[in-house]
């Protein structure tokens, strides 16, 4: 008799869990339906709150203004900044005062179609969440070798979501582009992608780790060992071309800076540091300016399996998310042993 009672108790408990899971799924579907009633320019509440990841009224994500930089009324938001990209992708960045939460800053990236990801940075570790559910999709730490995946536990009752999808990588590229364009004191923006064991394309399903964030100079120099040399060359190129006065427009100025750097780098004859090479979609060398080709300004084979890709910009120009991902793809396809790609924008100050 007691066994029957125990079995009935177990069955009732299981049914309760299943019912709870059903309610969770219904709540998620309802949240997504209600979310469509809000404007696309509204922010999401930060993950970690009871309403984390959901759309909130303007000024409701922490109580502060969502435009420019302002303090949050809940006392733990140090500043926030919103950027709208040309394709309609929106990036809302929130910095948090030390010790208030388990991350230093949070970036909510929302595509025009409503897909979104939340990137939470704690020092050199980044957690990526699904924007609608808050589910953890991936976690990585930026090391001297590049982005390395970290283990994490997924909630049983949240719907299954692929760990790293093309959407996640695309929105990571958008975040990298925004951070590269912002001139602030919090570090150097990098995009780090790491291939999984069966990778075919670092910009699609072959990614086991994605990191889009800012790192300190020491960490960058450890991962891309000739970064200091590359930045010094860029500064010299800008000073030299400007002093010559032999340019007709800002675009011509940028072209001559690129040419100066390429000549200085390639005369070294170092196969691990090569400038101004182009690849077509079939991963073969292409002529400069060839249709559907991708030009890499400079690449550094920094260590076995790691390729650093540098993109030089002058004036008001900044790297775009599409170009950043094309650079990563070109490097990974052309150099078959590449496991980790690090993309960096170099913008001389001279």
């Amino acid at each position: 008799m007691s066994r029957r009672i125990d079995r009935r108790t177990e069955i009732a408990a299981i049914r309760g869990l299943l019912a709870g899971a059903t309610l969770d799924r219904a709540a998620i579907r309802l949240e997504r339906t209600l979310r469509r009633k809000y404007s696309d320019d509204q922010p999401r509440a930060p993950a970690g709150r009871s309403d984390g990841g959901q759309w909130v009224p303007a000024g409701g994500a922490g109580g502060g203004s969502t435009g420019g930089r302002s303090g949050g009324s809940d006392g733990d938001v140090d500043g926030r900044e919103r950027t709208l990209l040309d394709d309609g992708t929106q990036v809302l960045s929130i910095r948090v005062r030390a010790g208030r939460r388990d991350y230093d800053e949070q970036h909510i990236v929302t595509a025009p179609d409503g897909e979104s990801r939340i990137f939470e940075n704690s020092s050199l570790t980044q957690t990526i969440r699904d924007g609608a559910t808050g589910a953890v999709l991936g976690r990585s730490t930026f090391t001297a070798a590049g982005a390395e995946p970290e283990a994490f536990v997924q909630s049983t009752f949240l719907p299954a979501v692929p760990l790293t999808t093309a959407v996640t990588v695309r929105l990571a590229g958008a975040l990298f582009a925004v951070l590269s364009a912002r001139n602030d004191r919090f570090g150097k923006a990098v995009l780090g992608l790491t291939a999984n064991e069966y990778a075919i394309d670092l910009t699609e399903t072959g990614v086991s780790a994605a990191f889009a964030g800012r790192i300190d100079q020491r960490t960058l120099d450890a991962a891309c060992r000739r970064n200091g040399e590359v930045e010094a060359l860029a500064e010299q190129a800008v000073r030299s071309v400007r002093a010559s006065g032999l340019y007709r427009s800002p675009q011509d100025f940028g072209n001559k800076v690129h040419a100066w750097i390429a000549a200085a780098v390639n005369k070294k004859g170092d196969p691990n540091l090569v400038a101004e090479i182009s690849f077509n979609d079939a991963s073969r060398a292409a002529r400069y300016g060839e249709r559907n080709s991708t030009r890499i300004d400079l690449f550094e084979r920094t260590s076995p399996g790691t390729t650093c890709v540098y993109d030089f910009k002058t004036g008001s120009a900044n790297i775009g998310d599409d170009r950043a991902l094309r650079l990563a793809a070109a490097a990974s396809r052309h150099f078959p042993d590449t496991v980790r790609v690090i993309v960096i924008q170099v913008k001389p100050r001279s």
Side-chain angles (χ1 to χ4, degrees), residues 223-236:
C224 300
R225 300 170 188 171
R226 302 180 73 170
N227 173 70
E229 177 185 347
V230 170
E231 291 191 350
L233 278 173
E235 295 287 348
Q236 292 174 29

Side-chain angles (χ1 to χ4, degrees), residues 125-130 134-140 149-155 161-164 208-209:
T125 297
Q126 183 173 76
T127 299
I128 303 177
R129 299 179 181 272
D130 178 72
V136 176
L137 305 182
R139 180 173 291 132
S140 62
E150 300 280 356
F152 63 93
V153 178
Q154 284 186 303
S155 172
V161 182
L163 300 187
T164 307
S208 63

Side-chain angles (χ1 to χ4, degrees), residues 76-104:
D76 62 356
V77 174
D78 196 29
R80 62 181 80 238
E81 186 170 2
R82 179 187 298 181
T83 301
L84 186 65
L85 299 179
D86 290 341
D87 68 353
T89 299
Q90 178 180 262
V91 177
L92 175 63
S93 300
I94 302 171
R95 287 196 59 80
V96 179
R97 292 192 179 97
R100 299 299 182 114
R101 297 184 185 174
D102 57 359
Y103 52 85
D104 306 319

Side-chain angles (χ1 to χ4, degrees), residues 231-242:
E231 291 191 350
L233 278 173
E235 295 287 348
Q236 292 174 29
V238 167
R239 288 196 297 268
S240 178
V241 174
R242 182 170 289 124

Side-chain angles (χ1 to χ4, degrees), residues 17-343:
L17 290 173
L18 292 175
T22 301
L23 287 174
D24 284 347
R25 287 195 296 271
I28 290 168
R29 284 196 297 269
L30 177 60
E31 185 274 330
R32 286 177 170 172
T33 300
L34 292 174
R35 178 161 55 90
R36 297 191 187 100
K37 296 182 180 180
Y38 288 91
S39 166
D40 280 343
D41 8 333
Q42 288 175 307
R44 293 177 184 272
R49 284 176 25 171
S50 59
D51 58 348
Q54 299 178 19
W55 292 110
V56 295
S65 165
T66 58
R69 292 184 180 276
S70 64
S73 63
D74 57 0
D76 62 356
V77 174
D78 196 29
R80 62 181 80 238
E81 186 170 2
R82 179 187 298 181
T83 301
L84 186 65
L85 299 179
D86 290 341
D87 68 353
T89 299
Q90 178 180 262
V91 177
L92 175 63
S93 300
I94 302 171
R95 287 196 59 80
V96 179
R97 292 192 179 97
R100 299 299 182 114
R101 297 184 185 174
D102 57 359
Y103 52 85
D104 306 319
E105 60 182 11
Q106 182 186 74
H107 307 279
I108 304 166
V109 186
T110 307
D113 61 4
E115 286 279 5
S116 63
R117 297 291 184 267
I118 302 173
F119 297 80
E120 295 174 346
N121 288 15
S122 177
S123 186
L124 295 175
T125 297
Q126 183 173 76
T127 299
I128 303 177
R129 299 179 181 272
D130 178 72
T133 67
V136 176
L137 305 182
R139 180 173 291 132
S140 62
T141 297
F142 199 92
T143 71
E148 296 291 352
E150 300 280 356
F152 63 93
V153 178
Q154 284 186 303
S155 172
T156 306
F157 298 114
L158 286 171
V161 182
L163 300 187
T164 307
T165 64
V167 172
T168 301
V169 174
R170 176 166 53 87
L171 295 184
L175 175 57
F176 166 67
V178 167
L179 294 178
S180 294
R182 290 177 181 170
N183 183 19
D184 56 42
R185 65 185 185 280
F186 299 118
K188 183 78 171 181
V190 298
L191 174 65
L193 300 176
T194 298
N196 63 29
E197 186 178 356
Y198 306 103
I200 298 174
D201 188 338
L202 268 170
T203 63
E204 295 294 340
T205 57
V207 174
S208 63
F211 181 99
R214 288 175 288 232
I215 62 176
D216 60 85
Q217 191 66 49
R218 182 176 179 179
T219 302
L220 176 57
D221 290 342
C224 300
R225 300 170 188 171
R226 302 180 73 170
N227 173 70
E229 177 185 347
V230 170
E231 291 191 350
L233 278 173
E235 295 287 348
Q236 292 174 29
V238 167
R239 288 196 297 268
S240 178
V241 174
R242 182 170 289 124
S244 74
L246 301 176
Y247 53 91
R248 300 180 300 277
S249 64
Q251 181 177 1
D252 187 41
F253 177 81
N255 290 339
K256 284 184 165 55
V257 167
H258 279 76
W260 194 101
I261 295 171
V265 168
N266 291 336
K267 75 177 182 180
K268 299 175 184 290
D270 185 344
N272 293 317
L273 193 71
V274 179
E276 292 293 326
I277 55 175
S278 297
F279 304 112
N280 58 27
D281 289 341
S283 305
R284 296 190 180 91
R287 297 186 306 276
Y288 180 84
E290 183 178 316
R291 188 176 180 181
N292 296 326
S293 65
T294 299
R295 188 192 74 253
I296 294 182
D297 290 346
L298 188 149
F299 76 84
E300 172 195 356
R301 305 302 301 280
T302 182
S303 62
T306 300
T307 300
C308 296
V309 183
Y310 299 91
D311 196 60
F312 300 109
K313 297 297 180 187
T314 57
S316 60
N318 288 289
I319 191 170
D321 53 341
D322 180 66
R323 175 159 174 77
L325 295 177
R326 285 179 65 86
L327 291 176
S332 66
R333 290 171 181 165
H334 187 74
F335 310 112
D337 64 332
T338 295
V339 176
R340 294 168 295 273
V341 170
I342 303 169
V343 183

